[in-house]
């Protein structure tokens, strides 16, 4: 299918899926986003043929961003960003959790969206796998990996290569991820997801779920029962 025909189809689909016939669809850059009234999709060459793979990925972007239009509370999100805009980790964690939360709802409404979302998941995860070496020391830093790792865990059911990415993480992080994602079951709206994100972000910073080195545990045992001066 030629790019100009596919662009026309995608524009109409975005409006229908977003349930807002006045929604604006813009093709620019190489990413996808929405503010609730405009959906931005990657630029397409109107004169070139769009491959099946490219169509699936683009439809996945539409399903995802239209899902934001339908399910994300942008007023709650605006307040959150105004209050916590400087906390990049918290914002990244929330974005990951919100993405997984809304994609579940998209697939409940449109079961066929699963294949499109899978196409996006594979494309994004492969970019990560191609950019990061298995021995990259940053993989040991949960503040670097955990936000994106939440999407890997949340999207495992779609198929794809999410598990390959998760396998690069420390074992204690791998054990914790399903617990954080399971907590999304209790989230009814964006405000709930924000509350969960704050909990997850604090746990990432505190690192209490991580295994302690043996010598640290030994020191803790040696100190049990010691009495000291109170200050």
């Amino acid at each position: 299918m030629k790019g100009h025909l596919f662009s026309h189809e995608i524009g109409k689909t975005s409006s229908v899926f977003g349930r807002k016939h006045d929604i604006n669809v813009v093709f620019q850059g190489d990413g996808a986003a929405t503010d609730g009234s405009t959906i931005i999709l990657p630029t397409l060459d109107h004169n070139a043929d769009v491959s099946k793979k490219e169509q699936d990925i683009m439809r996945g972007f539409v399903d995802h961003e239209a899902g934001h239009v339908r399910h994300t509370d942008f007023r709650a999100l605006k307040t959150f960003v105004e209050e916590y805009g400087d906390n990049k980790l918290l914002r990244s964690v929330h974005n990951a959790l919100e993405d997984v939360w809304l994609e579940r709802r998209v697939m409940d409404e449109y079961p066929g969206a699963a294949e499109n979302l899978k196409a996006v998941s594979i494309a994004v995860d492969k970019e990560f796998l191609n950019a990061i070496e298995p021995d990259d020391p940053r993989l040991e830093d949960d503040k670097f990996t955990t936000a994106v790792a939440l999407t890997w865990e949340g999207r495992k059911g779609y198929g794809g290569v999410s598990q390959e990415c998760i396998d690069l993480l420390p074992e204690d992080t791998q054990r914790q991820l399903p617990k954080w994602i399971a907590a999304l079951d209790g989230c009814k709206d964006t405000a709930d997801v924000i509350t969960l994100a704050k909990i997850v972000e604090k746990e990432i910073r505190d690192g209490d779920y991580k295994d302690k080195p043996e010598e640290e545990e030994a020191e803790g045992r040696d100190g049990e029962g010691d009495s000291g001066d109170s200050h």
Side-chain angles (χ1 to χ4, degrees):
M1 183 184 294
K2 289 295 185 182
H4 70 280
L5 294 174
F6 188 64
S7 297
H8 181 70
E9 173 199 316
I10 287 296
K12 289 199 166 204
T13 301
S14 300
S15 295
V16 172
F17 279 11
R19 294 179 185 161
K20 290 178 66 175
H21 295 292
D22 59 345
I23 199 166
N24 188 31
V25 179
V26 177
F27 295 87
Q28 64 181 37
D30 56 4
T34 185
D35 60 3
S37 58
T38 297
I39 291 179
I40 299 173
L41 297 172
T43 301
L44 282 174
D45 184 341
H46 283 198
N47 297 315
D49 289 322
V50 183
S51 69
K52 174 66 165 57
K53 178 181 177 181
E54 291 170 330
Q55 290 180 39
D56 289 345
I57 292 173
M58 189 68 80
R59 289 189 175 106
F61 282 140
V62 168
D63 291 346
H64 180 90
E65 299 306 332
H68 274 299
V69 172
R70 290 199 304 280
H71 299 294
T72 293
D73 181 341
F74 285 92
R75 285 181 295 183
L77 184 59
K78 182 175 182 291
T79 300
F80 169 67
V81 171
E82 289 172 349
E83 187 171 355
Y84 297 99
D86 293 335
N87 189 333
K88 292 183 179 179
L89 177 59
L90 176 57
R91 290 187 61 188
S92 295
V93 167
H94 168 260
N95 186 66
L97 291 170
E98 182 92 8
D99 283 352
V100 173
W101 175 79
L102 74 87
E103 285 181 1
R104 290 178 173 182
R105 280 150 182 76
V106 169
M107 289 186 291
D108 284 342
E109 296 167 335
Y110 305 102
E115 282 300 309
N116 299 334
L117 293 171
K118 175 182 176 180
V120 174
S121 176
I122 290 174
V124 172
D125 292 350
K126 282 189 174 180
E127 283 184 13
F128 184 91
L129 290 171
N130 291 334
I132 300 292
E133 295 295 331
D135 59 353
D136 192 313
R138 291 176 295 177
L139 292 170
E140 299 292 326
D141 180 4
D142 281 359
K143 290 188 286 294
F144 174 75
T145 60
T146 304
V148 67
L150 288 165
T151 66
W152 300 336
E153 181 66 34
R155 291 168 174 160
K156 279 199 306 187
Y158 311 7
V161 296
S162 295
Q163 189 61 51
E164 291 181 43
C165 298
I166 292 172
D167 289 342
L168 297 172
L169 302 176
E171 290 184 4
D172 44 20
T173 305
Q174 293 187 42
R175 287 194 298 269
Q176 185 65 21
L177 285 170
K179 299 176 184 177
W180 286 328
I181 291 300
L184 282 173
D185 292 343
C187 295
K188 295 182 174 60
D189 52 29
T190 297
D192 286 347
V193 180
I194 289 171
T195 297
L196 175 60
K198 292 176 181 177
I199 294 170
V200 173
E201 186 262 357
K202 184 178 186 304
E203 291 180 351
I204 292 171
R205 291 192 185 277
D206 292 346
D208 290 341
Y209 56 91
K210 285 185 167 292
D211 289 337
K212 294 182 179 179
E214 290 184 8
E215 60 269 21
E216 186 177 329
E217 292 180 355
E219 289 176 5
R221 288 195 296 270
D222 291 342
E224 288 179 3
D226 289 350
S227 59
D229 296 333
S230 299
H231 298 283

